[in-house]
C-alpha cells in the first residue's frame, strides 16, 4: 500500500466513525421528533438572543456523540456546539448535534446531525445525517462525497441569472439587516433565493446540485465542518470563513464551478465585503 492509499484508508475509517455516531444521534433526534409530533413538549432555552434556541434534545444528541466517540476514538478531543471544547494535535471531532434547531422545534423536517474529523483545522472526513429522511451525506478528503453511499456531484448552470442560491441569516438583528441588503442586491441577478435553515444541509444541497450556490456569514466551525467537505468533494468551489477577505471576514461560500466566479463578483458588487 503506498502512503497515499494509507492516508486514504485512515480517512475512510474516520468517515465510518463519523457516520456511525451521526446515525446513532440521528436516531435519538428522530425519536424525540416523533414524540413531539405526537404532542409531547420539549425543554427549550435561549443562547445568544431570544431567537437562538437550544432544546434538551440538542444536549442529549451531543452527549450521545461524545460518549460514543470516547469509546470508539478514546482520547481524541471533541469540539461541540453545546459542550464546547478545543482542538488537539491530532484528530479533533467537530459536532453540531442538531443543525437547524429552529426547524426541529417548529416541526419543519429539515435539520441534521453533523460530525466531522478535522486535523489542523481542516476537515478530512465527515457525515451529515438527516433524522427525518435518514439520508446520510458523507465525504472523505480527496476520496469523494456521497448521499446514502452514492456519489454526488454539483450542478453546472450556464448562467448566473439561472442559478438558484441558498443563504442563511444570523441570530442577531443588526447583522440580519446587512445580510438582507446583500440578498436584496443578489435577487435581481439570480434565478431565486432559498433559506432552508440548516447550514450543513445547505452545503450538502450544493453538493447534490439541489441549489447552485450558497453564501452565509457568521457560521461556526460545527456548522460547516462536515458539509463543506461534502460540497468540496462533490466539486464545488468552497471558501471557508476568513479564507477570502473579499467575501467579508467570516463568509462561507460554496458554488458550482460554472457560476462561482460571477456569483462571487455579484456578491462583492452587492456589498458582501461590509458584512
Ligand atoms: C444554524 C443553522 C442556520 C444558520 C445559522 C446556524 P443551529 O445552526 O445552520 O441555517 O443560518 O447560522 O447557527 O443553531 O440550528 O445549529
Ligand atoms: Ca448549526
Ligand atoms: Ca446546532
Amino acid at each position: 500500500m503506498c502512503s497515499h492509499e494509507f492516508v486514504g484508508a485512515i480517512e475512510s475509517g474516520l468517515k465510518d466513525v463519523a457516520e456511525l455516531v451521526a446515525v446513532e444521534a440521528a436516531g435519538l433526534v428522530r425519536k424525540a421528533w416523533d414524540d413531539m409530533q405526537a404532542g409531547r413538549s420539549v425543554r427549550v432555552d435561549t443562547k445568544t438572543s431570544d431567537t437562538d434556541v437550544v432544546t434538551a434534545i440538542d444536549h442529549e444528541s451531543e452527549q450521545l456523540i461524545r460518549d460514543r466517540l470516547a469509546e470508539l476514538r478514546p482520547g481524541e478531543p471533541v469540539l461541540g456546539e453545546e459542550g464546547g471544547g478545543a482542538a488537539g494535535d491530532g484528530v479533533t471531532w467537530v459536532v453540531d448535534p442538531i443543525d437547524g434547531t429552529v426547524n426541529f422545534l417548529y416541526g419543519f423536517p429539515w435539520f441534521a446531525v453533523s460530525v466531522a474529523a478535522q486535523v489542523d483545522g481542516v476537515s478530512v472526513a465527515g457525515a451529515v445525517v438527516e433524522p427525518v429522511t435518514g439520508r446520510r451525506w458523507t465525504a472523505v478528503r480527496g476520496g469523494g462525497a456521497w448521499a446514502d453511499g452514492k456519489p454526488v456531484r454539483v450542478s453546472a448552470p450556464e448562467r448566473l441569472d439561472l442559478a438558484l442560491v441558498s443563504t442563511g441569516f444570523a441570530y442577531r438583528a443588526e447583522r440580519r439587516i446587512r445580510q438582507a441588503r446583500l440578498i436584496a442586491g443578489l435577487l435581481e441577478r439570480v434565478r431565486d433565493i432559498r433559506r432552508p435553515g440548516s447550514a450543513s444541509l445547505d452545503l450538502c444541497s450544493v453538493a447534490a446540485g439541489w441549489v447552485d450556490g450558497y453564501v452565509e456569514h457568521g457560521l461556526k466551525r460545527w456548522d460547516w465542518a462536515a458539509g463543506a467537505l461534502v460540497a468540496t468533494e462533490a466539486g464545488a468551489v468552497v471558501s471557508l470563513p476568513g479564507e477570502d477577505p473579499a467575501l467579508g471576514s467570516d463568509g462561507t461560500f460554496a458554488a458550482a464551478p460554472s457560476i462561482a466566479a460571477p456569483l462571487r463578483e455579484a456578491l462583492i458588487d452587492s456589498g458582501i465585503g461590509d458584512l
Side-chain angles (χ1 to χ4, degrees):
M1 190 181 274
C2 76
S3 64
H4 176 77
E5 285 168 331
F6 184 63
V7 170
I10 289 174
E11 292 172 350
S12 188
L14 295 171
K15 186 261 288 172
D16 291 346
V17 172
E19 184 174 1
L20 178 67
V21 299
V23 165
E24 289 182 11
L28 179 154
V29 175
R30 172 62 199 245
K31 187 173 177 317
W33 161 268
D34 287 341
D35 289 348
M36 286 162 67
Q37 300 313 301
R40 190 166 304 168
S41 62
V42 65
R43 198 192 78 233
V44 184
D45 296 315
T46 57
K47 298 197 286 186
T48 60
S49 72
D50 285 351
T51 52
D52 183 5
V53 287
V54 59
T55 71
I57 313 306
D58 295 68
H59 290 292
E60 286 176 23
S61 172
E62 183 162 324
Q63 194 56 55
L64 182 154
I65 294 168
R66 285 178 182 273
D67 291 347
R68 291 294 281 134
L69 287 173
E71 289 166 14
L72 297 164
R73 305 286 303 184
E76 290 177 347
V78 178
L79 168 62
E81 177 172 12
E82 312 308 340
D89 288 338
V91 172
T92 298
W93 294 92
V94 183
V95 175
D96 193 333
I98 301 179
D99 183 42
T101 296
V102 173
N103 285 350
F104 171 72
L105 198 56
Y106 273 72
F108 191 106
W110 193 238
F111 49 86
V113 176
S114 174
V115 178
Q118 291 198 325
V119 175
D120 295 333
V122 175
S123 298
V124 297
V128 178
V129 178
E130 297 169 34
V132 176
T133 64
R135 190 181 291 111
R136 308 168 180 200
W137 305 88
T138 53
V140 172
R141 188 174 62 161
W146 303 271
D148 288 338
K150 298 195 187 78
V152 285
R153 200 70 205 154
V154 291
S155 58
E158 287 174 11
R159 304 194 327 243
L160 181 60
D161 60 325
L162 298 179
L164 186 62
V165 177
S166 72
T167 191
F169 300 107
Y171 287 114
R172 280 185 297 115
E174 69 274 14
R175 192 150 210 214
R176 289 182 159 202
I177 292 165
R178 281 177 280 139
Q179 289 173 326
R181 283 198 199 107
L182 173 74
I183 296 307
L186 195 61
L187 259 173
E188 61 180 308
R189 302 171 192 238
V190 298
R191 183 191 294 272
D192 208 348
I193 297 286
R194 296 287 181 269
R195 197 295 188 229
S198 169
S200 61
L201 290 175
D202 285 322
L203 288 158
C204 293
S205 297
V206 173
W210 294 354
V211 293
D212 302 306
Y214 164 66
V215 64
E216 179 163 357
H217 286 74
L219 293 189
K220 300 291 195 299
R221 184 169 292 270
W222 43 78
D223 295 313
W224 58 257
L229 183 63
V230 175
T232 302
E233 290 298 324
V237 174
V238 174
S239 313
L240 299 174
E243 281 184 355
D244 183 351
L247 296 182
S249 59
D250 60 357
T252 301
F253 173 88
S258 62
I259 50 100
L263 177 57
R264 181 176 176 277
E265 285 310 310
L267 289 164
I268 292 168
D269 274 0
S270 305
I272 197 171
D274 302 332
L275 276 164

